[in-house]
Amino acid sequence: MVKRIMLSDLALKIKHVPDWPTKGVSYTDTSRVFSDAVLFQNVIRALAEPYQKNKPDVIAGIEARGFILAGAMAYALGCGVVMVRRRGKTPGNVVNQEYSYEYSSNVIEMSEGSVEPGKKVVLVDDVLATGATAAAAAKLIKKLGADIFGISFVVEKEYLSPRQRLGVHPIYSLLKI
């Protein structure tokens, strides 16, 4: 049996890298969370917990660590999984959304038809920093006609006030820093 997640265990596995990828930005590295089998199982269980009684249709993972979380959550909840990718990574017809964050701008995209209109989608990624990428992903999912059922993260950087960009969507994060 897997023990319940301990936030102190989670916090110890998070590495903070100052001035990366650019000066003034602090990168939050969650890779050690993924490599610890017991902690990873507990993280997935904790991320899926808010959706156990009223399950979504699809989990959408934001590139790249969000893919790992989305696949595991979808398996745990018995639902589908889709990918929100950076521009140029998705073949065929795509829907895209541009966004800006603290040091750059980017475009994310999804395949047309990857999410059916009216489906309940949970969006997931490892870190909620400024909220720019997650907000763009939510807009993208809405462009496809689906509904945002919730947004989940392993780590939330509260000091950056990211929830302001995400509107009224239910947001769940396991560790707030």
Side-chain angles (χ1 to χ4, degrees):
M1 181 172 196
V2 178
K3 66 178 182 172
R4 298 285 297 163
I5 188 168
M6 298 297 293
L7 292 181
S8 58
D9 293 342
L10 182 57
L12 289 172
K13 292 289 184 171
I14 304 295
K15 182 179 175 186
H16 302 281
V17 183
D19 296 324
W20 198 87
T22 187
K23 188 166 180 58
V25 173
S26 176
Y27 179 76
T28 304
D29 182 6
T30 58
S31 60
R32 295 186 306 167
V33 172
F34 293 91
S35 66
D36 181 319
V38 172
L39 183 57
F40 181 66
Q41 289 174 20
N42 282 305
V43 163
I44 296 305
R45 182 174 285 116
L47 287 171
E49 188 174 348
Y51 311 108
Q52 286 294 339
K53 290 184 181 161
N54 189 7
K55 295 185 180 185
D57 299 304
V58 176
I59 308 292
I62 299 173
E63 189 168 337
R65 290 168 304 276
F67 294 172
I68 299 165
L69 296 167
M73 283 178 69
Y75 179 80
L77 292 167
C79 60
V81 63
V82 296
M83 296 178 290
V84 179
R85 303 194 73 188
R86 289 183 182 87
R87 181 187 354 217
K89 303 271 185 147
T90 306
N93 295 329
V94 298
V95 177
N96 60 41
Q97 180 67 46
E98 188 172 351
Y99 65 101
S100 297
Y101 48 98
E102 66 265 64
Y103 56 89
S104 188
S105 63
N106 212 333
V107 176
I108 54 174
E109 63 190 18
M110 293 175 72
S111 293
E112 283 184 3
S114 60
V115 179
E116 296 175 17
K119 294 294 183 181
K120 298 184 296 187
V121 178
V122 169
L123 187 59
V124 66
D125 204 357
D126 66 330
V127 178
L128 174 58
T130 66
T133 307
K139 287 179 185 174
L140 186 56
I141 289 164
K142 288 178 186 176
K143 279 184 182 180
L144 291 169
D147 300 314
I148 301 296
F149 192 59
I151 308 175
S152 295
F153 303 94
V154 176
V155 179
E156 177 180 344
K157 293 182 169 185
E158 284 186 301
Y159 64 91
L160 293 175
S161 303
R163 289 177 182 242
Q164 294 176 351
R165 289 190 174 188
L166 297 178
V168 298
H169 306 296
I171 301 167
Y172 305 97
S173 42
L174 302 183
L175 178 65
K176 295 179 181 181
I177 57 173

